[in-house]
Amino acid sequence: MWITSSGVSLHAAFVRRLAGIPNSEGVWVMEKVTSKDGTEIAYDTYGSGPVLVLVAGGFTDRARYVPDAEALASTFTVVNYDRRGRGASGDAPTYAVEREWEDLDAVRSATGARFACAYSSGSMVLFQAGLPFEKQAVMEPPFRVDGAPPAPERYIERLQEYVAAGNPGGAAELFMVEAVGQPKEVVDQIRETPMWAGLEAIAHTLVYDGLQMGDSAVPTELLSTIELPTLALYSNDSPAWLQAAVKQTAAALPNGTAEGHDGTFHTLPPETLARVLTDYFVTA
């Protein structure tokens, strides 16, 4: 859970921050930084220590990463931000992939982040931004390698058509059923829950992630130019093709390392992630 300016006195929060004292939940009041194109990007800060920024994956906002941020906060100052078009961050009338690289740079500059950890398709934001972090980590970039299910036909175009038609639910269902592989009956059940409205609110950003991923092949040419030490993580419970994609990603990086840990599909437990990132960023 995060605290917003509507829930706590800004003056009191400012005094606490100057004194180095977090609020009762260890979370600072939400802050915003202005990106290069004038879009405001919202973020929360947890804990203390070297600054680590989390880069969200597709179809999520910063609420999804609160458990990870809380687990990491014992070692790091964790910056958990909303990518543009999500949560409390702003957006622009037109989208270009470069804007998200600038957003990440604005967050890095505002917080002094030394490290970054990107999830799923957020990995391509991190890779393409090329920012001067000391080390970085990625969690299961979903590149399609041998054995992966085929990409949906006209995926980005169909997403754009749903969004343009004012049908975010159609875009959400396309992603969940055809891209992720969830049974349609499960998606139909989710449609009847309160969480569906929140998914529809960020469904247009599925286009953003599709554009970031491009053809979804492992971008070996790009990766070969990234000298930054990079830890590529995967869950031992993820499909074999996704684990292979992570290993191929690490192999294409000049200073890449792949590690698998026990988890669930496309996810590691927060306590595992905290242990692994502490070992990689701080101890190693």
Side-chain angles (χ1 to χ4, degrees):
M1 180 178 181
W2 60 86
I3 305 297
T4 67
S5 58
S6 62
V8 69
S9 162
L10 284 174
H11 174 71
F14 181 67
V15 171
R16 282 200 301 270
R17 184 127 198 185
L18 286 178
I21 304 170
N23 61 32
S24 60
E25 298 189 12
V27 185
W28 306 114
V29 173
M30 182 186 73
E31 297 185 66
K32 292 186 177 182
V33 63
T34 301
S35 193
K36 187 175 181 179
D37 72 339
T39 300
E40 289 192 323
I41 303 300
Y43 64 92
D44 299 319
T45 312
Y46 299 70
S48 60
V51 184
L52 164 65
V53 61
L54 306 181
V55 184
F59 211 29
T60 57
D61 61 18
R62 74 190 194 281
R64 158 66 179 79
Y65 305 97
V66 169
D68 288 353
E70 291 177 339
L72 288 158
S74 61
T75 303
F76 301 95
T77 298
V78 184
V79 177
N80 185 22
Y81 80 100
D82 275 328
R83 287 172 57 188
R84 65 172 52 209
R86 315 175 192 209
S89 286
D91 207 348
T94 58
Y95 179 79
V97 292
E98 294 86 352
R99 301 293 82 76
E100 292 215 63
W101 313 343
E102 294 165 358
D103 298 345
L104 177 55
D105 192 25
V107 171
R108 181 195 65 85
S109 297
T111 62
R114 295 169 51 190
F115 309 117
C117 176
Y119 298 79
S120 193
S121 53
S123 301
M124 279 300 283
V125 176
L126 181 58
F127 285 146
Q128 294 179 105
L131 299 176
F133 294 106
E134 295 176 22
K135 291 182 178 180
Q136 62 187 6
V138 293
M139 175 63 194
E140 292 195 357
F143 301 125
R144 293 186 181 273
V145 298
D146 288 346
E153 289 288 331
R154 298 183 58 251
Y155 175 62
I156 295 177
E157 292 84 352
R158 290 162 67 198
L159 287 174
Q160 291 171 324
E161 289 165 3
Y162 278 124
V163 172
N167 183 8
E173 182 172 310
L174 171 60
F175 171 75
M176 297 170 78
V177 175
E178 296 191 35
V180 176
Q182 289 184 320
K184 186 178 185 306
E185 55 269 25
V186 172
V187 176
D188 288 341
Q189 292 172 6
I190 297 173
R191 279 182 176 271
E192 303 303 317
T193 68
M195 71 180 294
W196 188 253
L199 294 176
E200 286 192 325
I202 60 172
H204 65 289
T205 66
L206 291 168
V207 176
Y208 301 176
D209 281 273
L211 293 171
Q212 291 287 346
M213 290 296 296
D215 64 5
S216 292
V218 178
T220 52
E221 184 175 351
L222 168 66
L223 297 177
S224 70
T225 68
I226 299 174
E227 298 287 343
L228 204 64
T230 304
L231 177 63
L233 296 169
Y234 62 88
S235 166
N236 292 329
D237 200 44
S238 287
W241 71 265
L242 194 47
Q243 297 184 36
V246 175
K247 294 173 185 177
Q248 290 182 32
T249 297
L253 289 158
N255 294 296
T257 303
E259 285 186 10
H261 298 272
D262 291 342
T264 56
F265 171 73
H266 209 35
T267 303
L268 293 180
E271 60 275 13
T272 300
L273 185 69
R275 174 178 54 80
V276 171
L277 294 187
T278 297
D279 288 346
Y280 186 70
F281 288 142
V282 178
T283 307

